[in-house]
Coordinates of all heavy atoms in Angstrom, one line a residue:
D1 N 204.6 220.5 198.1 CA 205.1 221.7 198.7 C 206.5 221.6 199.1 O 206.9 221.8 200.3 CB 204.2 222.0 199.9 CG 204.5 223.4 200.5 OD1 204.9 224.3 199.7 OD2 204.3 223.6 201.7
T2 N 207.4 221.4 198.2 CA 208.8 221.2 198.5 C 209.6 222.1 197.6 O 209.1 222.7 196.7 CB 209.2 219.7 198.1 OG1 209.0 219.5 196.7 CG2 208.4 218.7 198.9
G3 N 210.9 222.2 198.0 CA 211.8 223.1 197.2 C 211.9 222.6 195.8 O 211.9 223.5 194.9
T4 N 212.0 221.3 195.5 CA 212.1 220.8 194.2 C 210.8 221.1 193.4 O 210.9 221.4 192.2 CB 212.4 219.3 194.1 OG1 211.5 218.6 195.0 CG2 213.8 219.1 194.6
A5 N 209.7 221.1 194.0 CA 208.4 221.5 193.3 C 208.5 222.9 192.9 O 208.1 223.3 191.8 CB 207.2 221.2 194.2
Q6 N 209.0 223.8 193.8 CA 209.1 225.2 193.4 C 210.1 225.4 192.2 O 209.9 226.2 191.3 CB 209.6 226.0 194.6 CG 208.5 226.1 195.7 CD 209.0 226.9 196.9 OE1 210.1 227.3 197.0 NE2 208.1 227.0 197.9
L7 N 211.2 224.6 192.3 CA 212.2 224.7 191.2 C 211.5 224.3 189.8 O 211.8 224.9 188.8 CB 213.4 223.8 191.4 CG 214.3 224.2 192.6 CD1 215.4 223.2 192.8 CD2 214.9 225.6 192.3
S8 N 210.7 223.3 189.9 CA 210.1 222.8 188.6 C 209.1 223.8 188.0 O 208.9 223.7 186.8 CB 209.3 221.5 188.9 OG 208.1 221.8 189.6
H9 N 208.7 224.8 188.7 CA 207.8 225.9 188.1 C 208.6 227.0 187.5 O 208.0 227.9 186.9 CB 206.8 226.4 189.1 CG 205.9 225.4 189.6 ND1 205.0 224.7 188.8 CD2 205.6 224.9 190.9 CE1 204.3 223.8 189.5 NE2 204.6 223.9 190.8
M10 N 209.9 227.0 187.6 CA 210.7 228.1 187.1 C 211.0 227.9 185.6 O 210.8 226.8 185.1 CB 212.0 228.2 187.9 CG 211.8 228.5 189.4 SD 213.3 228.8 190.3 CE 213.7 230.5 189.9
K11 N 211.3 229.0 184.9 CA 211.5 228.9 183.5 C 212.7 229.7 183.0 O 213.3 230.4 183.8 CB 210.2 229.4 182.8 CG 209.8 230.8 183.1 CD 208.5 231.2 182.6 CE 208.1 232.6 182.8 NZ 208.1 233.0 184.2
A12 N 213.0 229.6 181.7 CA 214.1 230.3 181.1 C 213.9 231.8 181.4 O 212.8 232.3 181.2 CB 214.2 230.0 179.7
G13 N 214.9 232.5 181.8 CA 214.8 233.9 182.1 C 214.7 234.2 183.6 O 215.0 235.3 184.0
D14 N 214.2 233.3 184.3 CA 214.2 233.4 185.8 C 215.6 233.2 186.3 O 216.5 232.8 185.6 CB 213.3 232.3 186.4 CG 211.9 232.5 186.1 OD1 211.5 233.7 185.7 OD2 211.1 231.6 186.3
S15 N 215.8 233.6 187.6 CA 217.2 233.4 188.2 C 217.0 232.8 189.6 O 215.9 232.9 190.2 CB 217.9 234.7 188.3 OG 217.2 235.6 189.1
L16 N 218.1 232.2 190.0 CA 218.1 231.6 191.4 C 219.5 231.6 191.9 O 220.5 232.0 191.2 CB 217.5 230.2 191.4 CG 218.0 229.2 190.3 CD1 219.4 228.8 190.4 CD2 217.1 228.0 190.3
S17 N 219.7 231.3 193.2 CA 221.0 231.3 193.8 C 221.5 229.9 194.0 O 220.8 229.0 194.3 CB 220.9 232.0 195.2 OG 220.6 233.3 195.1
V18 N 222.8 229.7 193.7 CA 223.5 228.4 193.8 C 224.8 228.6 194.5 O 225.4 229.7 194.5 CB 223.6 227.7 192.5 CG1 222.3 227.5 191.8 CG2 224.6 228.5 191.6
I19 N 225.3 227.5 195.0 CA 226.7 227.4 195.5 C 227.3 226.1 194.8 O 226.6 225.0 194.9 CB 226.8 227.3 197.0 CG1 226.2 228.5 197.7 CG2 228.3 227.1 197.4 CD1 226.2 228.4 199.2
G20 N 228.5 226.2 194.3 CA 229.0 225.0 193.7 C 230.2 225.3 192.7 O 230.5 226.5 192.5
P21 N 230.8 224.3 192.3 CA 230.5 222.9 192.5 C 231.0 222.5 193.9 O 232.0 223.0 194.4 CB 231.3 222.1 191.4 CG 232.5 223.0 191.2 CD 231.9 224.4 191.3
L22 N 230.3 221.5 194.6 CA 230.6 221.1 195.9 C 230.9 219.6 195.9 O 230.5 218.8 195.0 CB 229.4 221.4 196.8 CG 229.1 222.9 197.1 CD1 227.8 223.0 197.9 CD2 230.2 223.6 197.7
G23 N 231.6 219.2 197.0 CA 231.9 217.8 197.1 C 233.1 217.3 196.3 O 233.7 218.1 195.6
N24 N 233.4 216.1 196.4 CA 234.5 215.5 195.6 C 233.9 214.5 194.6 O 233.1 213.7 194.9 CB 235.4 214.7 196.6 CG 236.1 215.7 197.5 OD1 237.1 216.4 197.1 ND2 235.7 215.7 198.7
G25 N 234.4 214.6 193.4 CA 233.9 213.8 192.3 C 234.6 212.5 192.1 O 235.4 212.1 192.9

């Protein structure tokens, strides 16, 4: 029951929100 578990159930054609790129490489 975690965020990554929810992400793993998503598929091509779905959408989500992101911020990035973040940090220093």
Side-chain angles (χ1 to χ4, degrees):
D1 187 28
T2 61
T4 49
Q6 292 180 358
L7 291 177
S8 72
H9 295 302
M10 302 185 77
K11 60 187 184 301
D14 292 342
S15 63
L16 44 71
S17 295
V18 300
I19 302 177
L22 296 173
N24 293 286

